[in-house]
Amino acid sequence: MDPQIANKLGTSLLLVPSVHELAKQPMTIVPERYIHPNQDPPSVEFATSHQVPVIDLNKLLSEDENELEKFDLACKEWGFFQLINHGINPSTLEKVKISVEEFFSLPMKEKKKFWQNQGDLEGYGQNFVVSEEQKLEWADLFYIFTLPSYVRNPHLFPCIPQPFREAVESYSLELEKLCMTIIKLMAKTLKIKPNELLELFEDVSQAMRMNCYPPCPQPEHVIGLNPHSDAGALTILLQVNDTEGLEIRKDGMWVPIKPFSNAFVINIGDILEILTNGIYRSIEHRATINSEKQRISIATFHGPQMNKIIGPTPSLVTPDRPALFKRIGVADYYKGYFSRELNGKSYLDVVRIQNA
Ligand SMILES: O=C(O)CCC(=O)C(=O)O
Ligand SMILES: [Fe+2]
């Protein structure tokens, strides 16, 4: 690529353009680096008869037995659910949605101030670009560590323009509370003492990943986000503009999730699968692209502090259900998860006890 064009598109050292800028160029054929051949199509037929469970938080909190059972089954069988009546102030949601949309539509000159340093997770840019040959995803992202507040990057967080920073701060605190409420409810449905899980989540660690998926003239040949499971304990996803794109793996099929306005899509990550000794499941998911509309999502990841050690919760290990996973430090889990040698393999399989 011509370095001048690269510069205009906002590339890093590895010549990775901003997809948002690339998608503004007149184009009918997508550059080869973005073409992902042989993708499994979604199973629309399955999705019309089976939808990810919709859970009402109000009912859960008022101890509605049916809803608690539905919630337990969602965590066991789907690893995903949509949460309604979650009690988060609609104006907090509106503010964060508007700010994120405005951020992605800022001129490149402004967004470039946040461009990721090579190898960094945080900042504005792309998902792990490590080589010139690597296939790229059709998405830009903005990733920040939000909680505990002392982990905030002093070169990044304070530079986020107002009122975006303020919107992120109040949204982050509301989601931290929601995460703790859900973990407590999980302890109840798993019939364990709340503290067995909660003590790991004191001073919860939280990061936000804002994803921007521009429209693409060849949507079936590109991928917004490759299939993956989330590393942390609980992900709370807000879909900003009610555009479809998230698909989850269910019984070997890709099932699209229909967005509901202001509902959260919540999923269990690898660390919670380990803590629940495999009872609650961390499920693979991906983001697809459409040809007309830009899609924006905000994934907020929650997990125990980096210095904690995780393993199956002792009361969930029984003679009938021996420990499925080894104990491991949280920081080591993330290190393994993000290591470049996995080649698509899940790090959960690396910590799984063979023949358990
Ligand atoms: O954009 C989406 O719907 C999925 C995002 C996601 O899976 C992630 O950021 O980990
Ligand atoms: Fe994810």
Side-chain angles (χ1 to χ4, degrees):
M1 187 186 293
D2 178 323
Q4 263 184 345
I5 298 178
N7 193 39
K8 195 170 138 221
L9 295 178
T11 62
S12 70
L13 286 173
L14 272 170
L15 291 180
V16 184
S18 147
V19 178
H20 192 262
E21 297 301 307
L22 182 67
K24 286 183 191 161
Q25 313 291 312
M27 177 195 317
T28 47
I29 306 227
V30 166
E32 187 56 34
R33 275 190 91 180
Y34 294 90
I35 301 286
H36 293 247
N38 312 322
Q39 289 186 58
D40 302 329
S43 172
V44 179
E45 206 178 298
F46 184 88
T48 46
S49 52
H50 298 71
Q51 262 295 310
V52 55
V54 177
I55 305 291
D56 183 330
L57 183 63
N58 247 342
K59 289 191 185 166
L60 289 183
L61 294 174
S62 55
E63 319 245 329
D64 179 320
E65 284 300 326
N66 282 342
E67 203 68 8
L68 283 163
E69 200 175 310
K70 213 165 110 190
F71 168 66
D72 187 43
L73 276 181
C75 298
K76 284 178 174 153
E77 292 176 2
W78 288 82
F80 267 83
F81 54 91
Q82 300 225 43
L83 191 72
I84 56 167
N85 287 332
H86 45 63
I88 306 276
N89 193 333
S91 93
T92 308
L93 295 186
E94 220 32 51
K95 281 186 193 143
V96 77
K97 283 180 175 183
I98 292 172
S99 320
V100 174
E101 257 179 333
E102 282 176 359
F103 175 79
F104 281 117
S105 50
L106 283 174
M108 197 56 222
K109 177 165 108 321
E110 291 301 316
K111 286 184 289 192
K112 241 179 141 174
K113 294 180 188 158
F114 301 98
W115 195 269
Q116 293 160 326
N117 292 321
Q118 202 169 337
D120 268 9
L121 200 57
E122 275 196 294
Y124 170 66
Q126 314 279 317
N127 200 14
F128 305 117
V129 182
V130 288
S131 80
E132 296 285 351
E133 291 75 43
Q134 181 188 338
K135 288 282 185 191
L136 299 177
E137 293 165 327
W138 194 259
D140 285 349
L141 60 86
F142 183 48
Y143 193 111
I144 43 171
F145 294 119
T146 41
L147 289 178
S149 48
Y150 56 80
V151 301
R152 291 177 185 173
N153 184 334
H155 306 292
L156 191 65
F157 207 92
C159 309
I160 299 173
Q162 288 292 23
F164 184 18
R165 182 154 36 104
E166 231 169 68
V168 165
E169 289 205 87
S170 27
Y171 182 67
S172 138
L173 293 176
E174 294 233 28
L175 286 209
E176 180 195 22
K177 278 190 253 155
L178 180 60
C179 167
M180 297 309 280
T181 305
I182 293 170
I183 301 275
K184 266 188 229 160
L185 287 162
M186 285 176 169
K188 189 186 188 97
T189 48
L190 289 163
K191 301 188 174 51
I192 60 175
K193 292 198 190 89
N195 265 352
E196 281 196 84
L197 281 182
L198 285 179
E199 63 191 18
L200 280 167
F201 291 89
E202 277 161 15
D203 228 3
V204 71
S205 101
Q206 185 195 61
M208 259 182 223
R209 185 184 146 134
M210 304 155 208
N211 302 295
C212 173
Y213 308 99
C216 175
Q218 294 183 292
E220 65 291 359
H221 295 311
V222 299
I223 187 87
L225 195 50
N226 279 312
H228 66 284
S229 64
D230 292 344
L234 199 73
T235 306
I236 306 183
L237 183 95
L238 182 64
Q239 311 196 68
V240 170
N241 47 5
D242 295 344
T243 308
E244 268 193 43
L246 175 60
E247 294 178 359
I248 70 171
R249 180 98 78 183
K250 172 79 178 138
D251 303 334
M253 284 173 275
W254 284 111
V255 182
I257 297 202
K258 281 197 181 33
F260 287 166
S261 259
N262 289 346
F264 288 117
V265 175
I266 300 194
N267 66 289
I268 283 141
D270 294 356
I271 286 180
L272 205 49
E273 174 158 343
I274 295 174
L275 294 175
T276 63
N277 199 21
I279 297 175
Y280 288 172
R281 311 255 316 282
S282 173
I283 296 295
E284 219 185 354
H285 50 287
R286 68 181 185 182
T288 58
I289 300 295
N290 75 74
S291 58
E292 271 134 46
K293 262 184 95 178
Q294 166 166 283
R295 174 167 180 267
I296 292 179
S297 68
I298 310 169
T300 309
F301 307 110
H302 299 87
Q305 271 303 306
M306 293 293 172
N307 58 2
K308 304 271 185 191
I309 307 287
I310 50 163
T313 300
S315 55
L316 296 175
V317 178
T318 60
D320 292 343
R321 195 176 185 95
L324 294 184
F325 302 100
K326 300 174 201 154
R327 287 173 67 75
I328 182 169
V330 171
D332 286 338
Y333 191 84
Y334 287 124
K335 209 163 129 206
Y337 175 94
F338 290 121
S339 71
R340 313 261 142 86
E341 287 88 48
L342 278 176
N343 289 328
K345 208 167 118 201
S346 157
Y347 199 63
L348 257 190
D349 290 334
V350 178
V351 297
R352 200 181 296 278
I353 296 173
Q354 303 305 322
N355 313 318

